[in-house]
């Protein structure tokens, strides 16, 4: 039997996202959500999660392109002049590699976000990072060290088999996962050596913000063996603060609840769940 985790990222970033997560879990195939603990609507997300005990909730560690949890004066090298986390990922990655003071701020922000999740009282199902920033070796080191202290064992490693995408849309070529593949391989080895677990394949990179019912149903029908994760960004509408330009938020919600999606999940030999549901098999 194949195993599948269907995750919504950015839970807590806006009421529009939280409403979609609830709808997709109630009426669709959504099994997990990754909480942005510093999000403007994080409290609403936590309240909704408490009313959905079967929804597995993890930490969406946010170190770029979002609100910090710590006050800007405590992480001055991580934020811009408006107090928001930086958007220049390449330069920030260099700063983290070369400047010990920046690494200390990264560690402090990571610890603060894990502590904020613990304060919600929700079981911590998994951890991943916004924009897959934990592919950075030094962020991965800090994340795994803190995650071990907080007892979480599931970590997303963004490895997307392009052959599956090409089977759905034959014109599909190498996706962003090809560029990230060497870093993902290094992360996978670190995750295993540290005693953590990750799904065998992760889908959502090439079609980030562009998941349609046909694409999602196609993925479900062609899942590789083992355990896969498909992550999406559903919202009832776009245009909220921190929304990504060009993302088809409402279409991604529709994909999670579409009849063809439900049929594909029902007809396949698939077990749906969260990270915690499948950890015991490893």
């Amino acid at each position: 039997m194949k195993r599948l985790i269907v995750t919504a990222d950015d839970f807590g970033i806006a009421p529009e996202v939280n409403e979609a997560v609830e709808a997709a879990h109630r009426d669709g195939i959504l099994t997990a959500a990754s909480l942005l603990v510093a999000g403007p609507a994080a409290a609403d997300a936590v309240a909704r999660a408490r009313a959905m005990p079967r929804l597995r909730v993890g930490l969406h560690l946010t170190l770029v392109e979002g609100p910090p949890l710590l006050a800007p004066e405590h992480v001055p090298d991580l934020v811009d002049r408006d107090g928001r986390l930086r958007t220049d990922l390449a330069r920030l990655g260099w700063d983290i590699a070369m400047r010990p003071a920046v690494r200390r701020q990264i560690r402090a922000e990571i610890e603060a976000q894990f502590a904020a999740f613990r304060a919600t009282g929700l079981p911590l199902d998994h951890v991943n990072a916004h924009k897959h920033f934990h592919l950075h070796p030094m962020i991965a080191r800090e994340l795994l060290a803190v995650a071990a202290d907080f007892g979480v064992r599931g970590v997303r490693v963004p490895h997307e088999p392009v052959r599956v995408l090409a089977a759905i849309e034959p014109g599909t070529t190498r996706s962003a996962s090809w560029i990230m593949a060497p870093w993902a391989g290094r992360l996978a080895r670190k995750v295993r050596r540290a005693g953590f677990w990750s799904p065998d394949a992760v889908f959502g990179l090439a079609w980030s913000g562009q998941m349609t019912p046909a694409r999602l149903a196609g993925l479900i029908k062609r899942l590789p063996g083992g355990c896969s994760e498909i992550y999406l960004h559903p919202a009832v509408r776009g245009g909220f603060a921190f929304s990504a330009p060009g993302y088809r938020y409402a279409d991604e919600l529709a994909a999670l609840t579409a009849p063809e999606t439900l049929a594909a999940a029902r007809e396949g030999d698939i077990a749906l769940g969260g990270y915690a549901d499948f950890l015991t098999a490893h």
Side-chain angles (χ1 to χ4, degrees), residues 7-14 17-18 21 32-50 52 55-63 67 69 112-130 156 229 232:
T7 307
D9 281 356
D10 296 339
F11 191 34
I13 200 169
V17 172
N18 299 350
V21 167
S34 299
L35 177 66
L36 197 154
V37 292
D44 174 69
V46 171
R48 291 176 189 262
R50 287 173 178 157
M52 297 183 286
L55 179 70
R56 301 297 191 181
V57 182
L59 173 61
H60 193 50
L61 186 67
T62 306
L63 302 171
L69 188 66
Q113 291 189 26
F114 269 94
F117 191 101
R118 174 179 282 175
T120 70
L122 296 171
L124 180 52
D125 182 70
H126 61 270
V127 61
N128 54 56
H130 189 51
R156 179 187 292 164
E229 180 180 12
L232 303 91

Side-chain angles (χ1 to χ4, degrees), residues 55-173:
L55 179 70
R56 301 297 191 181
V57 182
L59 173 61
H60 193 50
L61 186 67
T62 306
L63 302 171
V64 293
E65 297 186 7
L69 188 66
L70 295 176
E73 57 267 27
H74 294 304
V75 286
D77 294 301
L78 306 187
V79 299
D80 60 21
R81 65 182 62 186
D82 297 318
R84 293 186 174 188
L85 291 166
R86 290 165 53 176
T87 60
D88 55 338
L89 276 66
R91 178 57 187 269
L92 177 57
W94 175 262
D95 288 346
I96 293 167
M98 302 304 295
R99 297 174 57 195
V102 180
R103 292 197 294 275
R104 287 193 293 271
Q105 292 171 42
I106 285 286
R107 175 66 178 242
E109 181 67 23
I110 291 173
E111 290 177 337
Q113 291 189 26
F114 269 94
F117 191 101
R118 174 179 282 175
T120 70
L122 296 171
L124 180 52
D125 182 70
H126 61 270
V127 61
N128 54 56
H130 189 51
K131 298 294 182 179
H132 310 296
F133 211 39
H134 60 315
L135 289 173
H136 190 297
M138 293 183 179
I139 293 176
R141 183 185 65 192
E142 299 295 347
L143 182 153
L144 293 175
V146 178
D149 291 340
F150 281 82
V152 62
R153 289 183 55 207
V155 179
R156 179 187 292 164
V157 175
H159 167 67
E160 184 173 58
V162 70
R163 67 184 184 278
V164 178
L165 310 184
I168 299 166
E169 295 183 3
T172 302
T173 57

Side-chain angles (χ1 to χ4, degrees), residues 31 94 96 139 145 166 177 201 207 224 233:
T31 58
W94 175 262
I96 293 167
I139 293 176
S177 62
W207 295 333
H233 300 85

Side-chain angles (χ1 to χ4, degrees), residues 261-276:
T261 301
L262 299 177
R266 183 174 59 251
E267 295 166 5
D269 188 22
I270 298 169
L272 287 164
Y275 278 67

